[in-house]
Every structure is written in C-alpha cells, then in structure tokens.
Amino acid sequence: MSSFLVIALLIYGFVNYFITRSKLTIATKKENNIYQSENITSPFILGIIKPKIYVPYSIDEEYYDYVIAHEKHHLKRCDNVIKFVAFLLLCVHWFNPLCWIAYICLCKDIEYACDEKVTRDKDKDWKAKDCQVLLNCSSQRHLVSA
C-alpha cells in the first residue's frame, strides 16, 4: 500500500511537469534562458539540468527586470534542485504530516530568502516596485507547487 502511494505521488509530479512543459511548447525566447508565454499566470523556473525561466506576457515591462532578478537568484541558489529533492523526499515520507508541513515551509522560505537577497542592497524606490511585483505575482498563485 505505501509503495503504491509513493509511486502515485511520483506519477503526479511527473504528470504535472509534462503538462506544464506541454503548455510551454509555444513559449517565445526573449533572451538566453528566458522565455515568455501566454499560457502561464506567474513567473517560474522549469527544469533541473538546463533550467529555463518562464514569465507571462501579462507582466508589465516596467516590472520585467525585477521579476528576472528574482528568478535568476533562484537559479544562482539552485532552488529548483532543492525543491526537486525535497519533493522526492516528500514522496517517500508521504505518511508523515511533518514532512508535508516542512515541504510547504521550505517552499515559502525559498521565496522569502530570494526576496530578501534581491532587495538587500537596493534603494527604497527599487524595493517599492519589487514589492508591487511580488504582490501581483503572489495574488495569482494559490497553492505551493510541486
């Protein structure tokens, strides 16, 4: 029974990955590893070996630099790999509610740490715009993604 649920969670993760990837087949390359798509509502990184940054077309041009700085910092910290490993651990320890809480907290902490690092040495105007971008992007997300 328990190995069935581990496999079910792994299948869920891979199916979500492939569904997301299929939505991004028509994404337009903006620069280096940055792509834009009309099929997404918030920016994110997809991939482990050759990760790519995806941003929606709906992001205002004035906020674009803030979003890219945030996502590039995720790449610098290898947050995409950390989150993948954490999800694999969650699949194995699915029965432990503390692991679910830890995974959710990890995802939130990754975002908070990235926000803090990106805004650390910036002036008040930059921080104000960055906070507006974060508010706009977070209002589109409802759940922690795997």
Side-chain angles (χ1 to χ4, degrees):
M1 174 69 171
S2 65
S3 61
F4 171 75
L5 289 171
V6 170
I7 292 169
L9 277 172
L10 288 171
I11 289 171
Y12 165 79
F14 284 111
V15 166
N16 268 345
Y17 171 77
F18 287 112
I19 288 172
T20 302
R21 207 172 94 187
S22 70
K23 286 182 183 180
L24 300 170
T25 55
I26 58 170
T28 307
K29 187 174 186 174
K30 181 132 180 166
E31 55 186 279
N32 294 340
N33 68 334
I34 302 169
Y35 294 80
Q36 282 188 302
S37 175
E38 59 191 24
N39 295 333
I40 57 174
T41 56
S42 62
F44 61 89
I45 295 170
L46 186 67
I48 300 295
I49 297 170
K50 290 184 180 180
K52 294 180 177 89
I53 298 171
Y54 291 94
V55 293
Y57 278 114
S58 60
I59 287 188
D60 295 333
E61 273 305 310
E62 66 178 306
Y63 297 142
Y64 179 79
D65 291 336
Y66 302 99
V67 169
I68 295 305
H70 179 92
E71 296 302 325
K72 282 184 176 179
H73 190 67
H74 278 304
L75 286 176
K76 186 185 286 187
R77 291 171 32 106
C78 297
D79 289 341
N80 55 324
V81 176
I82 292 169
K83 215 168 167 183
F84 176 72
V85 171
F87 181 73
L88 291 178
L89 289 171
L90 181 66
C91 289
V92 173
H93 297 283
W94 61 268
F95 54 87
N96 188 341
L98 292 178
C99 285
W100 287 92
I101 293 168
Y103 181 76
I104 291 167
C105 290
L106 171 77
C107 293
K108 289 181 180 183
D109 286 348
I110 283 173
E111 288 301 322
Y112 295 150
C114 188
D115 296 339
E116 182 181 336
K117 180 66 175 174
V118 169
T119 60
R120 179 174 290 153
D121 301 324
K122 305 296 183 188
D123 63 1
K124 285 184 180 181
D125 290 336
W126 203 96
K127 287 180 182 180
K129 280 196 174 186
D130 187 56
C131 288
Q132 184 62 45
V133 171
L134 292 172
L135 183 62
N136 291 345
C137 291
S138 67
S139 66
Q140 313 260 331
R141 291 183 180 169
H142 300 291
L143 298 172
V144 174
S145 62

